[in-house]
Amino acid sequence: MNLYVHVPFCVSKCRYCAFHSETGASAEALAAFPRLIGREGALRAPGARPTTLYLGGGTPSSLGPDGLRALAAALPALADGAEFTVELNPADVDAPLAEALRAAGVTRVSLGAQTFDPAALRFLGRRHTVADTLAAASALRHAGFDNVSLDLIAAVPGCCGASFRRSLVQAIALEPRHLSVYALTVEEGTPLAADVRAGRVKMPADDETLDALAEAEAALARAGYARYEISNYALPGFECRHNLAVWHGEDYIGLGPAAASRLGLVRRTNAPDLSAWASALDAGRPPPADEESLSPEDDEHERFVTGFRLAAGVRPNPATATGRARLAVCEKLTSQGLLAALPGGAYALTPRGREVADAVMAEL
Ligand code: SF4
């Protein structure tokens, strides 16, 4: 099984962020978190030996070396050869933290570089600097981490074009094994959304955003990275196993406030409420969560559509009525240049299809 832990703490809130996280958590809340995650793991996943473990957030690295050690110790023992990923803010990474991650059995780190343009970092409200990213990459390399992923954000207002191209060059120069490249999106309820609505910020035009993403694909392909998912690139053999499992429709269990789980037909999302989550677990109860059960047909269809995120695509089964209906939609989308027919009967998004992936998936 695959295990995800949402660490709901951040030192400060970025301008564009809609993820659940709290700033200014008390020392007690931070210290209690590993113990409570251990308790939730025992309730939600008794006897589990995860093959992938992903610590995301929020900012897992804000727990510091001791907190991360305690969190790893509170989680179930991993299966042999498991992938253990931790998301890191470059501002938190130094030699002691990198060493603590190694000692805790972390096999893969995801560094939230986002951009190498100081002006873009300031626009985004990130608390790290370009120098922090370079120092973090160096500390991780010295600690022996080979499997490092970098996150990059395209389409930052005022920092498109040459600025983004320079960020790509600097990211590639650090020789990560994996990169995730996202366009900046305006999420409701964020300070960025308020600024856009009030006219204080003008987002780049769609064409500019699509050009940046196409430029990323071309530059990364030249450097040997394959785009194996809409937003994710890897050198051969360095695809993120945890995310691949999720996109392939495998079960996963999420622990922590706001964490989502998929268990067979059941979809569960913990309430995004740190204190309700902690009080329930302190009292020995599972934390509050929304839960829904899908029909086998809806579950199968969700897996079918999600599969289109991957470069390998999806093969409709022509032996069933549903498969034939899907085939007809795939052929229509192929005639529109949004899907491509692959050898063996599978269909995958074309470059144009990736640009409008949400609309393609809605059509499917
Ligand atoms: S560090 Fe990550 S989770 Fe925290 S506010 Fe920034 S984008 Fe959101």
Side-chain angles (χ1 to χ4, degrees):
M1 56 83 82
N2 305 287
L3 191 62
Y4 173 80
V5 177
H6 186 83
V7 180
F9 307 111
C10 287
V11 173
S12 57
K13 204 72 192 165
C14 302
R15 189 180 193 178
Y16 57 97
C17 179
F19 292 120
H20 169 68
S21 68
E22 296 198 1
T23 56
S26 66
E28 292 74 31
L30 289 166
F33 186 74
R35 175 177 58 81
L36 295 173
I37 283 286
R39 196 171 279 190
E40 188 183 10
L43 288 170
R44 301 281 205 204
R49 289 203 73 198
T51 50
T52 74
L53 168 60
Y54 195 107
L55 307 190
T59 311
S61 53
S62 67
L63 293 173
D66 291 345
L68 284 166
R69 257 191 295 266
L71 183 55
L75 288 166
L78 301 180
D80 291 343
E83 177 191 85
F84 181 0
T85 302
V86 181
E87 289 181 352
L88 305 172
N89 185 310
D92 296 330
V93 182
D94 55 12
L97 188 117
E99 292 299 340
L101 294 171
R102 289 289 288 175
V106 174
T107 63
R108 180 176 184 276
V109 288
S110 175
L111 194 58
Q114 316 305 359
T115 165
F116 289 80
D117 181 342
L121 285 174
R122 279 194 298 276
F123 178 91
L124 295 169
R126 300 287 309 187
R127 69 184 162 96
H128 72 278
T129 62
V130 175
D132 288 336
T133 299
L134 301 178
S138 168
L140 292 167
R141 213 174 9 250
H142 277 106
F145 279 104
D146 175 48
N147 195 351
V148 176
S149 177
L150 290 183
D151 284 355
L152 283 185
I153 297 181
V156 177
C159 304
C160 293
S163 158
F164 183 62
R165 276 194 289 279
R166 279 195 299 274
S167 282
L168 277 172
V169 169
Q170 284 186 266
I172 292 168
L174 289 177
E175 301 183 353
R177 304 300 189 190
H178 183 282
L179 288 110
S180 301
V181 184
Y182 303 94
L184 181 64
T185 51
V186 181
E187 303 287 345
E188 268 319 305
T190 61
L192 178 61
D195 288 339
V196 169
R197 205 173 307 111
R200 291 187 290 270
V201 166
K202 188 171 177 328
M203 292 298 289
D206 285 352
D207 281 357
E208 214 172 348
T209 301
L210 295 176
D211 284 352
L213 295 176
E215 207 155 334
E217 179 169 27
L220 293 173
R222 283 195 298 276
Y225 297 88
R227 189 176 190 174
Y228 70 99
E229 194 268 345
I230 292 172
S231 307
N232 287 282
Y233 298 80
L235 296 178
F238 287 94
E239 297 83 4
C240 175
R241 281 166 50 198
H242 179 86
N243 286 339
L244 273 180
V246 172
W247 294 319
H248 279 135
E250 289 181 25
D251 284 353
Y252 55 92
I253 295 178
L255 308 177
S261 307
R262 174 165 65 205
L263 289 158
L265 299 177
V266 176
R267 307 288 180 269
R268 185 174 57 217
T269 306
N270 283 348
D273 183 334
L274 176 63
S275 63
W277 175 85
S279 314
L281 287 165
D282 256 334
R285 295 190 311 272
D290 277 343
E291 202 167 291
E292 66 163 338
S293 285
L294 269 59
S295 67
E297 294 74 27
D298 286 347
D299 175 67
E300 197 272 332
H301 192 63
E302 184 185 280
R303 290 163 198 265
F304 173 76
V305 174
T306 305
F308 280 92
R309 298 190 66 88
L310 297 166
V314 183
R315 184 178 166 276
N317 178 4
T320 67
T322 305
R324 285 191 292 279
R326 287 172 177 166
L327 199 52
V329 179
C330 288
E331 284 168 355
K332 186 182 93 178
L333 291 166
T334 301
S335 72
Q336 296 169 348
L338 300 172
L339 293 183
L342 304 180
Y347 288 83
L349 293 170
T350 59
R352 173 68 190 139
R354 281 197 292 264
E355 291 172 354
V356 291
D358 287 348
V360 173
M361 291 191 192
E363 182 75 14
L364 285 161

